[in-house]
Amino acid sequence: NGTIYSKRFIMPGNEHYFSFGVGMVHFVSVSTDEDIDPSSTQGVWLDRTLAKINKQRNLWPWVVVFQHRPIYNSNINHGNWSGSNNYTQEGYEMPAYKGWPDDYEALILKHKVDLVLAGHVHHYERSWPVKNRNEVTKSYENVTLPIHITCGHGGKGLYAVVWDSNGRNTYRPHQPAFSAARDNMNWGHCELEFIDERTVRHTMFRMGESEVPTEDVLITKAAGGGGAAKVGFSLGLLMGCFIFWSRFGLI
C-alpha cells in the first residue's frame, strides 16, 4: 500500500496529487489509484488546477501531467488503465476507481495538456497525438493533442511475455493506431528537453547500447499561449525513469 515509500519521501500537497512550475513547464501529478470523476475530490482539484495554470500559459507554455498507470498502452500485461483491476494474475485484486479513463481524458483535452507521462507497464511506448483512443494525428508538427509516453523499462523484469501464458508475446500482431513506437525487449530511460515555448525534444536510450538515442523525436506544438518565462538557469530533474531539463532565456 505504499507505506514504506510514503514514509521515506515527502511530496507536495496531499502527496497523492499536486502541481509545481519549473521554468517554462508546469508539472501536474495525478493519482491513478483514486477516483477522478467530476464529483471526486481529485477530479475537482485537477479541473481547477489546470484552469488556473491555463490562465498563466504565458509563464508555463508547457503542461505535463505525470501518473503511475497509463491510459494508452498496447502491452497486454495491464492493458489500458480503466480504473478497475485488469491484472491477469490472481491475488492482485483492487477496488474500482471512477472516472478512468474517460473523465480524466476529457479534462486533459479541455485544458490542452501537452504531454502525459506514465510508468507501471514494464516497457517503452510513445503515442501519436491522440484523443478518444482512435482519433490520431500521425505527425509531431503543430501538435494540438496530448502525447502519451510510458517509460517503464528502467530496470525491473520487462513485460515481453504474457503472464500465465506459454511464451506469448505481450504485443498483438497489429500495432494500435495510437502507438507510434514501442519496445518490450530492452531496458532504458527517457529524456525530455524543453527547448522553447513550442519545441520539446524527446529521446529514449536503450541501456548499455551507446550514447546515441534509440528514439529521437522533435515535437512542435501549434502556436499560441504567449512567450515563455525567461529564467537564467538550467534544471536537471529526475523523476522515475524520466530525465527532464529546460533551457531558459534562449528565445
Side-chain angles (χ1 to χ4, degrees):
N1 63 6
T3 300
I4 295 175
Y5 173 86
S6 64
K7 296 299 182 182
R8 290 178 179 269
F9 300 96
I10 307 302
M11 306 306 291
N14 67 3
E15 300 191 77
H16 292 205
Y17 41 89
F18 49 87
S19 75
F20 56 92
V22 181
M24 69 180 80
V25 187
H26 206 105
F27 294 96
V28 181
S29 170
V30 297
S31 172
T32 51
D33 291 276
E34 298 183 40
D35 295 339
I36 203 164
D37 63 293
S39 65
S40 67
T41 302
Q42 181 175 215
V44 171
W45 173 88
L46 182 60
D47 192 16
R48 290 176 177 174
T49 297
L50 291 175
K52 184 176 180 180
I53 295 168
N54 272 332
K55 291 179 181 179
Q56 302 181 77
R57 287 299 275 261
N58 62 314
L59 296 178
W60 299 303
W62 290 97
V63 178
V64 178
V65 175
F66 61 98
Q67 62 200 58
H68 182 54
R69 307 172 194 271
I71 65 168
Y72 281 92
N73 166 49
S74 66
N75 193 295
I76 294 174
N77 289 353
H78 292 318
N80 302 295
W81 180 235
S82 61
S84 61
N85 185 11
N86 52 10
Y87 284 82
T88 58
Q89 295 171 305
E90 294 183 2
Y92 287 86
E93 291 75 15
M94 296 173 57
Y97 299 110
K98 299 176 183 177
W100 298 97
D102 294 342
D103 293 329
Y104 170 65
E105 185 171 31
L107 284 178
I108 64 175
L109 290 169
K110 172 184 174 182
H111 295 292
K112 301 185 184 304
V113 169
D114 299 298
L115 300 172
V116 180
L117 312 178
H120 187 54
V121 185
H122 299 179
H123 80 147
Y124 163 78
E125 187 158 27
R126 166 174 46 84
S127 81
W128 293 108
V130 61
K131 69 175 181 178
N132 302 330
R133 193 65 47 196
N134 295 313
E135 296 182 47
V136 176
T137 302
K138 293 191 174 183
S139 171
Y140 291 113
E141 296 183 3
N142 295 314
V143 171
T144 60
L145 297 174
I147 296 166
H148 297 251
I149 302 173
T150 297
C151 193
H153 60 327
K156 198 173 180 181
L158 296 166
Y159 290 168
V161 176
V162 178
W163 295 319
D164 304 325
S165 76
N166 189 23
R168 184 159 57 100
N169 195 299
T170 52
Y171 292 155
R172 294 182 175 90
H174 300 291
Q175 191 164 344
F178 69 79
S179 179
R182 58 185 184 175
D183 184 349
N184 65 356
M185 298 296 293
N186 298 279
W187 287 288
H189 78 274
C190 302
E191 296 183 10
L192 290 171
E193 180 184 5
F194 294 92
I195 297 171
D196 58 38
E197 65 192 38
R198 291 189 57 200
T199 311
V200 61
R201 180 189 180 204
H202 164 65
T203 50
M204 188 274 282
F205 296 81
R206 287 179 179 169
M207 187 177 295
E209 289 198 354
S210 72
E211 295 183 1
V212 178
T214 305
E215 299 279 330
D216 194 339
V217 180
L218 199 66
I219 300 166
T220 61
K221 64 177 183 174
K230 292 177 169 57
V231 181
F233 64 89
S234 296
L235 168 75
L237 171 62
L238 177 65
M239 184 184 67
C241 298
F242 281 93
I243 295 175
F244 307 91
W245 68 86
S246 298
R247 296 197 306 209
F248 308 118
L250 301 180
I251 58 175

